């Protein structure tokens, strides 16, 4: 009898010890997940005629083969798919601030016209900067697309899906069922860069087929760019250097593949006029009108 009691106590103690060990195992802490920190970034842009900022007032700089003093009517550009190049030579997308005015998803509108003087048909608001965030790190290059991306080119213009900055009427290209990627108008020359060749599939649902289109959407990369100290500069003087501009006999570049007025302009953009694609697949190597300062 005494031996049976002793055996029972030993069994209870052994079971108690097992329970204690199990409890200690389950209270072990899981590893703390790593957290990716981010940093704010502001990418600055400028639009000039030579060394002179584009203005809606009389300008001293000369443009074109005829050495004309440009009288600007409009100067606006959509920029999308912005990425920075980190110190490992990797492209890192910039997550744009969704400010409900200048930026939506991965596209932003740059506005260099003041809505005054010769630009009276525009608006007074200006925007020369794109704001967003990237993972914390060092960056020494930039890549971006000039134009509204394919998935948004036929979206946000009006109606229930209207959203700024895609609903800016001056940048709506209704006859091409999309947006003007770039609009630079002076007295004597209008430049409207946009995707051409899209076809309406269903007007009620605003479904458009652009599979056979000419995108006319140049992509640029600059390998020496510090977002903290550099700016991207568009030079209108260089863009139209090959054009004969006459303010008494206006001409237009409406992105047509057969438009002789566009020939020199497209080449300076780095685009092939026939296909609307980057020349030799690299707009950066061919373009002559954008610089880093």
């Amino acid at each position: 009898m005494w031996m049976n009691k002793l055996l029972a106590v030993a069994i209870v103690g052994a079971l108690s010890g097992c329970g204690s060990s199990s409890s200690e195992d389950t209270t072990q802490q899981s590893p703390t997940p790593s957290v990716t920190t981010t940093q704010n970034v502001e990418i600055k842009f400028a639009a000039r005629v030579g060394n002179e900022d584009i203005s809606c007032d009389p300008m001293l700089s000369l443009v074109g083969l005829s050495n004309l003093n440009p009288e600007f009517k409009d100067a606006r550009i959509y920029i999308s798919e912005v990425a920075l190049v980190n110190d490992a030579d990797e492209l890192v997308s910039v997550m744009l601030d969704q400010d409900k005015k200048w930026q939506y998803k991965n596209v932003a509108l740059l506005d260099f016209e003041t809505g005054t003087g010769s630009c009276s048909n525009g608006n007074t608001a200006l925007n020369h900067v794109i704001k967003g965030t990237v993972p914390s790190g060092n960056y020494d290059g930039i890549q971006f697309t000039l134009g509204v991306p394919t998935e948004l080119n036929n979206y946000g213009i009006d109606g229930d899906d209207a959203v700024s900055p895609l609903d800016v009427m001056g940048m709506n290209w209704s006859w091409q069922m999309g947006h003007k990627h770039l609009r630079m108008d002076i007295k004597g020359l209008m430049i409207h860069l946009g995707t051409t060749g899209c076809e309406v599939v269903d007007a009620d649902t605003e479904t458009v087929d652009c599979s056979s289109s000419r995108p006319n959407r140049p992509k640029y990369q600059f390998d020496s760019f510090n977002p903290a100290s550099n700016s991207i500069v568009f030079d209108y003087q260089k863009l139209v250097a090959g054009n004969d501009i006459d303010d008494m006999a206006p001409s237009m570049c409406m992105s047509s593949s057969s438009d002789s007025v566009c020939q020199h302009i497209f080449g300076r953009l780095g685009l092939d006029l026939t296909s609307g694609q980057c020349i030799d697949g690299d707009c950066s190597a061919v373009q002559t009108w954008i610089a880093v300062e």
Side-chain angles (χ1 to χ4, degrees), residues 89-101:
D89 203 30
E90 300 169 327
L91 283 170
V92 180
S93 296
V94 177
M95 303 301 294
L96 302 190
D97 295 346
Q98 302 299 294
D99 62 9
K100 299 181 180 180
K101 183 174 183 180

Side-chain angles (χ1 to χ4, degrees), residues 57-200:
D57 296 318
M59 300 192 66
L60 299 176
S61 301
L62 302 175
V63 298
L65 299 175
S66 54
N67 290 322
L68 180 79
N69 295 109
E71 182 180 318
F72 274 89
K73 303 292 185 181
D74 211 329
R76 287 179 279 191
I77 304 172
Y78 281 113
I79 300 293
S80 63
E81 300 170 338
V82 182
L84 297 180
V85 182
N86 64 17
D87 50 13
D89 203 30
E90 300 169 327
L91 283 170
V92 180
S93 296
V94 177
M95 303 301 294
L96 302 190
D97 295 346
Q98 302 299 294
D99 62 9
K100 299 181 180 180
K101 183 174 183 180
W102 298 112
Q103 302 182 171
Y104 176 72
K105 292 192 175 180
N106 66 342
V107 63
L109 176 64
L110 301 175
D111 192 334
F112 301 100
E113 53 80 31
T114 60
T116 60
S118 58
C119 305
S120 57
N121 289 329
N123 58 79
T124 57
L126 297 171
N127 184 46
H128 301 172
V129 64
I130 292 178
K131 299 179 180 180
T133 58
V134 291
S136 297
N138 298 315
Y139 298 92
D140 57 7
I142 188 171
Q143 183 185 93
F144 61 88
T145 298
L146 192 158
V148 179
T150 303
E151 65 272 15
L152 294 176
N153 192 37
N154 310 104
Y155 176 83
I157 297 172
D158 54 19
D160 294 338
D161 64 1
V163 59
S164 186
L166 297 176
D167 63 351
V168 175
M169 294 307 297
M171 300 298 285
N172 176 4
W173 215 11
S174 57
W175 70 283
Q176 288 290 350
M177 288 78 72
H179 293 85
K180 302 178 183 78
H181 302 321
L182 170 151
R183 179 174 184 172
M184 285 192 157
D185 298 344
I186 66 170
K187 184 179 180 182
L189 177 61
M190 297 171 60
I191 302 175
H192 294 179
L193 180 70
T195 299
T196 63
C198 294
E199 298 182 1
V200 176

